[in-house]
Amino acid sequence: MRLRAAAIQPRSSSSISKPNNPTFSSESNNTSSPFNKSLFSWSRFKPFSAKCKSLKFRKKWKQYQGINNWEGLLDPLDDNLRSEILRYGHFVDAAYRSFDFDPSSLTYATCLYSKNSLLNRCGMATYGYRLTKNLRATCGIHVPAWIHDMSKLTCIRSSWIGYVAVCEHKKEISRLGRRDVVIAFRGTATCLEWLENLRATLTYLPGDVEVKDGVCPMVEHGFLSLYTSKTNMHQSLQEMIREEIGRIIQSYTNEPLSLTLTGHSLGAALAILSAYDITATFKNAPMVTVVSFGGPRVGNESFRKQLEQSGIRILRIVNSDDVVTKVPGFVVNNDDMASNGDIHVGILSAWLQRRVEDMQLVYADIGQELRLSSKESPYLKKVDIATCHDLKTYLHLVKSFVSSSCSSDRMDPVM
């Protein structure tokens, strides 16, 4: 048996999930930036629509959404797929930019912009999407009153976590070959969200879920809590997504439609839970795809099989140097156990597996991986935990990646 695990430590700030100020450029004099000055400005991470061959793309959109699990598109990385990954990454970046991270602000943990202005304020006016729904996540942890008295950070149970946006521009719909709906989530930001992240044991999915191989589908306790918890004032994230997706499906029932869920860190986990819930709730759901950046593990092997059987396509963008993608829990490789010829080692491995299973910490890696490495980039000055997990780093690595056998030097001199 091979166990893979890593410890994750809570941080005093949200910097591990929150992107750094996204304005780095070759003109910047910020010596603390983890990027060399030859790296281009974040504002140049604009949609690559014009670079895609529209006719080819329109006819093959299901392939780029993962209908064949991105076979033949990842290594080497197809340029059209690269453009789509970056495009969805921009939606996640907009969720970060729009969140009020300042605890001293009266609008802390809310969205800084109105629905009509959010995408424009984040430099996405030309993307052709309209924001239709703001989303909130509520923590299920109840903190004692005396802790509330010490810090208002623990008082914020419900916070803005992302949004739903629908493609409405006719030319973009034509280029994409369908009307695309994006659900974008930011990563961990509040104190209670960090506490939820640390509830790493697996728990059963609510409702009547079909059992596979005698093992029920299970997911991380804290992620499920954030997805299903609600207050007297706020619906749960689950209720908001069901309500909005039901309305959208009904509105566009007579045209090609796709649902693309995307997120970074905690947002990647919520994207997977949302995708599962959508396909379980709506039998007439369109094609559902998840594009995740730096996501942690979410559920067990039975949950992975449920996702596959529901037809959800998941593309996980993973930085090999990012510790968050290696937690929570353990991944048990049963093939290694079966092939081990030493009976004593086999008995010990089986015993260890039972102990780990009893602790509800045996997870499974989910989806198709695009594996990158920040150590291979000549543009990164430092490779610390926060930099390796930063969304900005992920988009930089996607932009530069060519193939596993070719160095990542595909960089424009200016961005």
Side-chain angles (χ1 to χ4, degrees), residues 8-45:
I8 183 169
Q9 299 294 329
R11 296 168 61 91
S12 58
S13 73
S14 59
S15 60
I16 195 168
S17 285
K18 175 187 174 183
N20 299 326
N21 187 6
T23 56
F24 62 97
S25 69
S26 57
E27 293 82 9
S28 173
N29 294 320
N30 182 6
T31 57
S32 64
S33 170
F35 297 89
N36 286 331
K37 289 185 178 182
S38 56
L39 195 59
F40 12 73
S41 124
W42 181 264
S43 64
R44 296 292 299 275
F45 268 129

Side-chain angles (χ1 to χ4, degrees), residues 37 61 94 103 110 146 155 179 269 272 274 294 301:
K37 289 185 178 182
W61 72 265
T110 65
W146 63 270
C155 299
R179 186 185 298 273
I272 290 175
S274 302
E301 179 70 14

Side-chain angles (χ1 to χ4, degrees), residues 111-125:
C111 183
L112 292 169
Y113 311 125
S114 68
K115 284 200 304 182
N116 292 334
S117 67
L118 187 151
L119 295 178
N120 290 355
R121 295 289 293 270
C122 294
M124 300 175 65

Side-chain angles (χ1 to χ4, degrees), residues 304-354:
R304 182 186 68 80
K305 292 178 179 178
Q306 287 278 353
L307 290 168
E308 291 175 351
Q309 292 183 3
S310 67
I312 298 169
R313 304 302 186 212
I314 301 172
L315 180 59
R316 295 176 61 237
I317 320 300
V318 175
N319 180 357
S320 297
D321 309 305
D322 181 4
V323 66
V324 174
T325 64
K326 301 175 176 65
V327 295
F330 304 86
V331 171
V332 178
N333 192 323
N334 291 315
D335 292 337
D336 284 358
M337 292 180 58
S339 62
N340 199 313
D342 190 325
I343 187 171
H344 299 292
V345 174
I347 292 173
L348 178 61
S349 297
W351 180 85
L352 283 173
Q353 181 179 3
R354 286 196 298 272

Side-chain angles (χ1 to χ4, degrees), residues 13 30 67 72 109 114 137 169 187 254 275 279 313 315 356 375 380 406:
S13 73
N30 182 6
I67 191 68
S114 68
H169 194 281
N254 294 322
T279 57
R313 304 302 186 212
L315 180 59
V356 174
K375 291 180 180 178
L380 292 172
C406 180

Side-chain angles (χ1 to χ4, degrees), residues 96-271:
Y96 275 119
R97 293 197 192 192
S98 303
F99 184 78
D100 187 348
F101 284 93
D102 183 5
S104 64
S105 170
L106 293 176
T107 57
Y108 171 61
T110 65
C111 183
L112 292 169
Y113 311 125
S114 68
K115 284 200 304 182
N116 292 334
S117 67
L118 187 151
L119 295 178
N120 290 355
R121 295 289 293 270
C122 294
M124 300 175 65
T126 62
Y127 279 55
Y129 286 72
R130 180 176 66 87
L131 196 152
T132 63
K133 182 80 171 181
N134 281 305
L135 300 174
R136 300 182 68 90
T138 299
C139 297
I141 294 176
H142 295 275
V143 179
W146 63 270
I147 295 182
H148 287 324
D149 295 337
M150 293 175 60
S151 172
K152 82 167 194 175
L153 295 179
T154 61
C155 299
I156 307 297
R157 286 189 58 203
S158 183
S159 55
W160 186 86
I161 194 111
Y163 57 89
V164 181
V166 178
C167 185
E168 294 194 343
H169 194 281
K170 291 183 179 180
K171 287 187 177 180
E172 183 66 0
I173 293 173
S174 175
R175 182 189 76 84
L176 294 173
R178 84 282 184 190
R179 186 185 298 273
D180 187 39
V181 179
V182 172
I183 305 178
F185 300 101
R186 60 164 176 81
T188 309
T190 70
C191 180
L192 290 184
E193 287 171 0
W194 275 112
L195 293 179
E196 289 281 27
N197 287 347
L198 298 177
R199 300 169 76 185
T201 55
L202 290 162
T203 188
Y204 295 106
L205 286 167
D208 298 325
V209 182
E210 185 179 355
V211 177
K212 300 294 180 184
D213 302 324
V215 180
C216 293
M218 303 178 76
V219 297
E220 204 249 24
H221 194 167
F223 300 155
L224 184 64
S225 174
L226 282 165
Y227 188 64
T228 59
S229 297
K230 60 182 177 180
T231 67
N232 292 333
M233 294 179 59
H234 301 291
Q235 291 179 296
S236 68
L237 178 58
Q238 179 185 55
E239 290 171 336
M240 286 186 281
I241 288 177
R242 286 182 177 182
E243 181 181 280
E244 182 64 7
I245 296 305
R247 184 193 68 79
I248 289 172
I249 291 176
Q250 186 174 12
S251 299
Y252 304 109
T253 186
N254 294 322
E255 61 180 280
L257 189 68
S258 66
L259 300 181
T260 308
L261 298 94
T262 185
H264 170 249
S265 194
L266 167 64
L270 293 176

